[in-house]
Amino acid sequence: MRKLISMLVFVLLLVATGCSHAAGTAETKQETELTISAAASLQDSLEEIKQLYESRHPEIKLQFNFGGSGSLQQQISKGAPVDLFFAAAADKFNKLKDEGMIDETHAADLLGNDLVLVVLKDEKGFTEMADVQGADTLAMGTVETVPAGAYAKETLTNMQLWKTMEPHIVYTKDVRQVLQYVETGNADAGMVYKTDALTSSKVKIAAIAPSDTHESIVYPVGVLKDSTHKEAAVAFYDFLQTEEALQVFEDDGFTIN
């Protein structure tokens, strides 16, 4: 009898241990969190994609860190724990490549965009890029850390407008702050991506920067070599390239590379 009882206890312990392990595994799955550092201009699209992805993969939580691509690149270079980097400029992305931090087997130039001049919807007198000279204040991203700011400076320089406009420029931390400055009247005009302009009901696109006045606007995305959730990171990277995800980007005004 004692031997029988001992065997029953042993079996119960095995069952309990198995259940505990299964619960622990489920809990681990629920806690899988991917950190994606992404250009601020991607925010609306990625928030929509987040809902799509998490509804199908409840074990994955997407945590986005939005900002200027240069600032994000610097954070990653200094050791910030990131699983994917989605930049708005190839040079910022390539810096991490050169440092050996990007898994080049899971990296791609995914999207494109246009640089535009925006003003308040009821503002008149701005119909082409050269009209920017009529702005007392022009908002644009900080050149060193915000790719849209670098493209804006390149455009103004190639159009022989930089020296004229430089004293009138208000620099911002990212493109969304440029929009905010124009929307609130703290700047007469701003230079942002087309996709950002389309998110605002208060501004209008006054002009599109000619494509030959700046380098091509490219959005590269890649998985970090040091990702602590490599398999999950690669799965989300692959999802970003599906027709469904690309349609979200396209609907928001991006071009697909």
Side-chain angles (χ1 to χ4, degrees):
M1 179 64 73
R2 284 185 180 178
K3 188 176 289 187
L4 180 60
I5 292 174
S6 297
M7 287 180 65
L8 286 172
V9 170
F10 179 70
V11 171
L12 288 172
L13 284 173
L14 283 176
V15 172
T17 302
C19 291
S20 175
H21 177 71
T25 302
E27 184 178 349
T28 301
K29 286 185 178 181
Q30 288 295 331
E31 292 177 352
T32 300
E33 183 176 280
L34 291 180
T35 301
I36 299 101
S37 286
S41 52
L42 292 163
Q43 184 167 349
D44 289 351
S45 297
L46 288 180
E47 290 291 359
E48 184 175 345
I49 288 172
K50 170 186 169 80
Q51 293 182 14
L52 286 173
Y53 197 75
E54 289 185 348
S55 67
R56 298 171 193 179
H57 303 275
E59 77 281 4
I60 301 295
K61 301 301 175 187
L62 302 178
Q63 179 64 44
F64 291 108
N65 177 28
F66 295 108
S69 296
S71 297
L72 297 175
Q73 172 260 312
Q74 290 171 15
Q75 292 169 15
I76 296 170
S77 291
K78 292 177 181 177
V82 173
D83 297 296
L84 289 94
F85 182 40
F86 205 159
D91 63 333
K92 309 304 181 188
F93 192 80
N94 289 338
K95 282 186 179 181
L96 294 183
K97 268 189 177 182
D98 293 341
E99 293 170 6
M101 302 187 76
I102 297 291
D103 177 0
E104 296 194 37
T105 61
H106 297 101
D109 292 338
L110 195 60
L111 307 173
N113 213 333
D114 289 314
L115 182 71
V116 301
L117 179 71
V118 295
V119 295
L120 284 174
K121 276 200 168 177
D122 58 356
E123 190 68 46
K124 298 179 180 179
F126 291 85
T127 58
E128 58 185 38
M129 191 60 64
D131 292 336
V132 71
Q133 297 172 94
D136 289 331
T137 52
L138 172 67
M140 56 182 266
T142 301
V143 175
E144 293 76 17
T145 57
V146 183
Y151 293 128
K153 180 179 179 180
E154 186 181 5
T155 293
L156 294 174
T157 299
N158 287 329
M159 294 186 71
Q160 310 298 318
L161 297 171
W162 177 251
K163 288 184 178 179
T164 300
M165 293 308 302
E166 189 174 10
H168 302 277
I169 292 173
V170 178
Y171 294 102
T172 69
K173 64 179 182 178
D174 56 39
V175 284
R176 291 308 171 95
Q177 193 172 46
V178 174
L179 274 183
Q180 183 183 23
Y181 277 28
V182 177
E183 289 174 339
T184 57
N186 288 312
D188 298 321
M191 294 183 75
V192 297
Y193 296 122
K194 174 185 175 183
T195 51
D196 295 296
L198 295 176
T199 68
S200 175
S201 60
K202 298 179 180 180
V203 306
K204 66 180 180 180
I205 296 174
I208 298 176
S211 59
D212 60 356
T213 62
H214 60 78
E215 288 190 22
S216 296
I217 299 173
V218 177
Y219 285 70
V221 59
V223 176
L224 274 295
K225 282 185 180 178
D226 290 339
S227 168
T228 54
H229 308 291
K230 196 66 171 285
E231 186 177 343
V234 170
F236 182 62
Y237 165 82
D238 289 339
F239 181 77
L240 288 172
Q241 298 174 76
T242 62
E243 287 187 14
E244 185 176 17
L246 292 176
Q247 189 62 57
V248 173
F249 289 122
E250 200 166 12
D251 289 346
D252 287 341
F254 290 97
T255 55
I256 310 301
N257 287 339

